[in-house]
Amino acid sequence: MDILSHGHSITSTAGETPSDVARLRAELSEFELGRYLLNNLGLNGQWTSYVLLYPERGSQTRLSSDGSPLGELETWLLERCPLLLATQQRFSLMRGLTQPLLRSGMQLASLPSGLMDDLLTLDYAACHDVSLTAIDLDAKALDAALRNHSERHTPVAMACEQRDAWQLSCQGRWDLITSNGLNIYVDDDQLCTAFYRQVAEALRPEGVFIVSFITPPDHWKPYSRADLEQQRLLFQDVVPVRWMCHRDEATTRGQLAEAGLEVISVHYDEQRMFPAVLARKHGSALL
């Protein structure tokens, strides 16, 4: 299966480009993150990490990825774009759900792993013999995850596996699996459920799944309507990104249940755009 999140290009359309679209394209071309979005219509592991960790790193330095001062549009993307703010909050929510579940001897996996920030940024001081598995279809993301593990000196073992999420083909292997952002690229509901089924089969009987989903726009409560309109223009007309597959909570609960996973709790970000879900394999012990 192709990598869903990045590596695609914009199909040219006939006719003149409206001035505001042309302006935004020109502004995106001025910084690395913008150029990547223009060329790939999505984010790979490196750029996802860049967005997720901005509140902890970039907001202190106010520097772009190349060391230059942040420009106006990149600052807006990282600090005001509604969905990217929700993505940052979702990352925090999912880490908050994962941390208290950590126990010695656990086998954890991230799928797709990207740089493994979701697991490598946790505190393992009270645990021993924990091992992590980075699973991704993108070999470059796995290489970056290994570098991230080494640079952070996270005191846990880590292995990498280049796999298709729909072909895990393993039974009862992991205690906990996290998944940040794969389903938002999958428009087909049955395909999404099939992914969840692969996860359920890969979990041990007491296994936990932590996942998220993007809600439909009519559910959103944005901080700013003007920023929401700018987001619509940017991610529909300028860069038609592939990450906008929306599902409501009821649909997500139904898909997880059909796959053999029971929802324990749903945790919404402040704008109700990108909630995190804590689920368990059917028949597992109460959390």
Side-chain angles (χ1 to χ4, degrees), residues 8-84:
H8 307 275
S9 58
I10 297 174
T11 301
S12 300
T13 55
E16 295 183 357
T17 303
S19 59
D20 50 356
V21 172
R23 172 183 56 81
L24 283 172
R25 282 184 179 161
E27 291 180 15
L28 284 171
S29 69
E30 294 174 357
F31 55 97
E32 290 182 323
L33 172 61
R35 289 192 290 272
Y36 193 89
L37 280 169
L38 281 171
N39 292 330
N40 295 274
L41 310 187
L43 299 176
N44 64 0
Q46 173 192 344
W47 290 112
T48 298
S49 180
Y50 180 72
V51 170
L52 292 178
L53 298 181
Y54 175 78
E56 302 173 16
R57 294 180 177 175
S59 62
Q60 307 302 316
T61 65
R62 313 293 299 170
L63 296 177
S64 185
S65 55
D66 63 358
S68 63
L70 286 171
E72 182 178 351
L73 182 56
E74 187 171 16
T75 298
W76 179 86
L77 278 168
L78 295 169
E79 297 184 0
R80 291 174 52 192
C81 178
L83 193 55
L84 295 193

Side-chain angles (χ1 to χ4, degrees), residues 102-244:
L102 297 181
R103 301 290 185 272
S104 294
M106 290 184 76
Q107 302 279 331
L108 314 178
S110 178
L111 170 65
S113 66
L115 270 63
M116 282 287 275
D117 289 318
D118 56 342
L119 297 181
L120 290 177
T121 57
L122 300 175
D123 181 1
Y124 295 94
C127 305
H128 59 85
D129 296 328
V130 172
S131 64
L132 313 180
T133 306
I135 307 170
D136 208 298
L137 195 58
D138 185 352
K140 293 181 179 178
L142 295 175
D143 289 341
L146 285 174
R147 290 194 299 273
N148 196 19
H149 176 251
S150 176
E151 291 167 1
R152 288 181 176 277
H153 305 289
T154 308
V156 291
M158 192 181 89
C160 292
E161 298 183 9
Q162 187 176 7
R163 287 173 175 264
D164 188 317
W166 283 267
Q167 297 178 23
L168 292 179
S169 303
C170 57
Q171 299 286 331
R173 180 173 172 187
W174 290 287
D175 299 289
L176 185 148
I177 296 174
T178 63
S179 182
N180 295 312
L182 178 59
N183 54 6
I184 66 176
Y185 290 90
V186 182
D187 189 53
D188 187 308
D189 282 339
Q190 291 304 310
L191 193 61
C192 189
T193 302
F195 163 56
Y196 295 154
R197 188 173 292 111
Q198 285 286 305
V199 169
E201 292 175 357
L203 285 169
R204 292 175 176 174
E206 69 277 14
V208 174
F209 183 40
I210 299 177
V211 68
S212 57
F213 61 98
I214 295 180
T215 59
D218 60 359
H219 290 50
W220 296 352
K221 297 183 182 298
Y223 298 132
S224 164
R225 289 288 172 183
D227 286 335
L228 186 64
E229 177 56 26
Q230 168 104 328
Q231 173 182 288
R232 184 207 61 76
L233 174 64
L234 185 66
F235 291 150
Q236 291 185 25
D237 297 341
V238 180
V239 183
V241 293
R242 296 162 55 90
W243 65 50
M244 290 293 193

